[in-house]
Amino acid sequence: MNGRILIIGACGQIGTELTAALRERFGAERVIASDIRKGNATLMASGPFEIADAMDYKTIEDIVYRHKVDTIYLMAAMLSAIAERFPEKAWNLNMNSLFNVLNLAKEGKVEKVFWPSSIAVFGPSTPKQDTPQQTIMEPTTVYGISKQTGERWCEYYHSKYDVDVRSVRYPGLISYTTEPGGGTTDYAVDIYHRALKHHHYRCFLKKDTTLPMMYMEDAIRATISIMDAAPETVKIRSSYNLAAISFDPEESAASIRKHIPDFKITYEPDFRQEIADSWPQTIDDTPARADWDWKHNYDLNDITTVMLKNLKPQYG
Ligand code: AKB
C-alpha cells in the first residue's frame, strides 16, 4: 500500500475503532476519516477528517483525488432495526454508497475496497446451526436484502472488472468506545451500560434468543487481516462467514452477575425479536479460518470483564 486509506462512515461503532487501529499502524496522516457528521473528540483529534455523504459520488471522488487515496473501507450503513423503519432510505444508503466505491475501483481510481456484510444475509429458511458459507439465503429484512444484494455486486465487480473487493459477514459486535446504532444485536452492548447504571436491564429480545457475537477487537483484526491477505488467498469475493461466539441474553446476564451479583434482567420483546429469529444461531466460518488464517481471541467472559472494566469510569 503506497497511497492513503479512506474510511467512509468513520464515526460509527466499527469505523471509530477501525480508524484508531489503522492510524496506529500506518500513521495518522495516511488514514482519512470521513462521515456525514463529526465523531467523538478522540477521533476528531486523531488525524485528517472530511465531512462526506457516502451517497455523493463527486464528494467521495474528490476526497480520493485530494488525499491520494488507494484503499477505501466503506463502513457507512443503515442497520437492521432502523432500516425496517426507513426501508427506502436504507436501500438507497446501503446500495448507492457501495456502487460509488465499486465504481471508483472499476475506473482504477482506487486499488482496494473493504465492504462489510452481515449475518443478516441469512433468513428463516437458512439452517440455524453451523450456518455454512454457501447455503439458502432468503433474508426477510431490508438490511439483509441490501447486504445480500451487495455481496452479489461485489462478486460481480470482482469477476467482470477485476475489482479487488474484500468482505466479511459480521455477527453482532460488542464494544465500549462507541455505542452501536440501530441494530438487532445492540442489546449485547446496552446490557453492560444498564448493568453498571441501574443493575437492571429490560431486554428487547427473549431470554433464549441465541445469536452470533464478537468482541470489536477481534472484528477489527479480522477486517485488517482480510485486507492484508495476498489477493490469491481471498478466494471468496462475495463475503466470508466470520464467527467467534454465540450466546443468549440469559448467558450474557449470568456472565455479568459474576461481577455484579444483584444484576437483574427482564424481558419485553419487541419488533426486533422477529428479526433475531430469522438469523442463524451459530456460524461455520471454516473458509475464513483456512484462507486467511482467521481466529478469534475473546469468549463471553473475556468480553464481559473488559466491557465492565472500561465502562465503569463513565458511571462512577
Ligand atoms: C445488526 O444487528 O443489524 C447488526 C448486524 C448483525 O449486522 N449488528
Side-chain angles (χ1 to χ4, degrees), residues 22 34 45 57 82 101 131 146 169 193 201 231 239 277 284 293:
L22 291 172
S34 80
Y57 180 86
I82 300 267
V101 167
T131 303
S146 73
R169 294 171 179 155
H193 289 269
Y201 180 58
S239 190
D277 287 342
D284 177 355
D293 224 12

Side-chain angles (χ1 to χ4, degrees), residues 4-264:
R4 297 197 172 121
I5 296 172
L6 171 63
I7 304 172
I8 302 173
C11 302
Q13 192 200 6
I14 312 175
T16 300
E17 300 209 24
L18 182 64
T19 304
L22 291 172
R23 283 186 170 159
E24 171 83 33
R25 180 164 173 195
F26 295 110
E29 292 310 310
R30 287 187 60 194
V31 179
I32 320 304
S34 80
D35 209 307
I36 191 109
R37 63 184 76 84
K38 290 182 179 174
N40 68 34
T42 316
L43 177 105
M44 296 309 292
S46 71
F49 181 85
E50 296 272 356
I51 291 283
D53 177 350
M55 291 189 289
D56 181 348
Y57 180 86
K58 280 275 156 232
T59 303
I60 304 295
E61 185 190 38
D62 176 59
I63 296 173
V64 164
Y65 277 131
R66 277 194 290 112
H67 291 278
K68 301 189 170 49
V69 168
D70 67 8
T71 302
I72 298 184
Y73 290 76
L74 171 57
M75 310 313 286
M78 199 183 287
L79 298 185
S80 58
I82 300 267
E84 289 307 296
R85 296 212 183 107
F86 306 103
E88 211 175 311
K89 263 192 186 165
W91 177 260
N92 289 340
L93 171 61
N94 296 356
M95 298 317 303
N96 294 347
S97 60
L98 176 60
F99 276 122
N100 284 346
V101 167
L102 289 177
N103 284 330
L104 281 168
K106 179 185 162 194
E107 290 155 15
K109 292 171 183 161
V110 294
E111 286 170 17
K112 216 195 256 188
V113 169
F114 177 84
W115 173 76
S117 187
S118 161
I119 55 165
V121 292
F122 301 114
S125 53
T126 302
K128 284 215 174 303
Q129 306 298 338
D130 286 331
T131 303
Q133 175 69 41
Q134 275 151 344
T135 185
I136 303 168
M137 290 164 91
E138 294 179 324
T140 47
T141 62
V142 175
Y143 175 64
I145 295 168
S146 73
K147 288 294 177 188
Q148 194 205 23
T149 310
E151 286 192 7
R152 297 289 89 225
W153 279 114
C154 286
E155 194 173 275
Y156 187 88
Y157 270 66
H158 176 72
S159 68
K160 300 282 177 199
Y161 312 125
D162 208 20
V163 164
D164 189 354
V165 56
R166 301 163 186 219
S167 176
V168 295
R169 294 171 179 155
Y170 289 125
L173 299 181
I174 302 173
S175 64
Y176 59 85
T177 308
T178 311
E179 288 189 42
T184 302
T185 58
D186 292 12
Y187 94 83
V189 177
D190 297 345
I191 194 169
Y192 294 110
H193 289 269
R194 297 284 161 173
L196 286 164
K197 207 171 168 193
H198 303 299
H199 293 211
H200 173 237
Y201 180 58
R202 196 180 302 128
C203 187
F204 59 75
L205 297 180
K206 288 188 204 152
K207 64 181 179 182
D208 56 354
T209 311
T210 298
L211 287 170
M213 300 280 181
M214 183 179 289
Y215 186 52
M216 185 62 83
E217 196 178 298
D218 278 337
I220 298 295
R221 207 164 34 75
T223 308
I224 295 177
S225 300
I226 193 176
M227 288 298 270
D228 275 350
E232 62 282 4
T233 62
V234 185
K235 295 180 188 133
I236 295 170
R237 294 299 184 142
S238 51
S239 190
Y240 277 90
N241 274 7
L242 190 73
I245 51 174
S246 286
F247 58 81
D248 65 25
E250 279 290 275
E251 290 166 310
S252 174
S255 83
I256 291 174
R257 261 182 230 114
K258 290 180 188 160
H259 302 258
I260 306 174
D262 65 344
F263 173 65
K264 284 193 179 46

Side-chain angles (χ1 to χ4, degrees), residues 284-301:
D284 177 355
D285 62 354
T286 305
R289 290 178 192 258
D291 291 358
W292 40 275
D293 224 12
W294 156 246
K295 47 181 131 8
H296 71 279
N297 288 335
Y298 285 81
D299 69 16
L300 176 57
N301 286 325

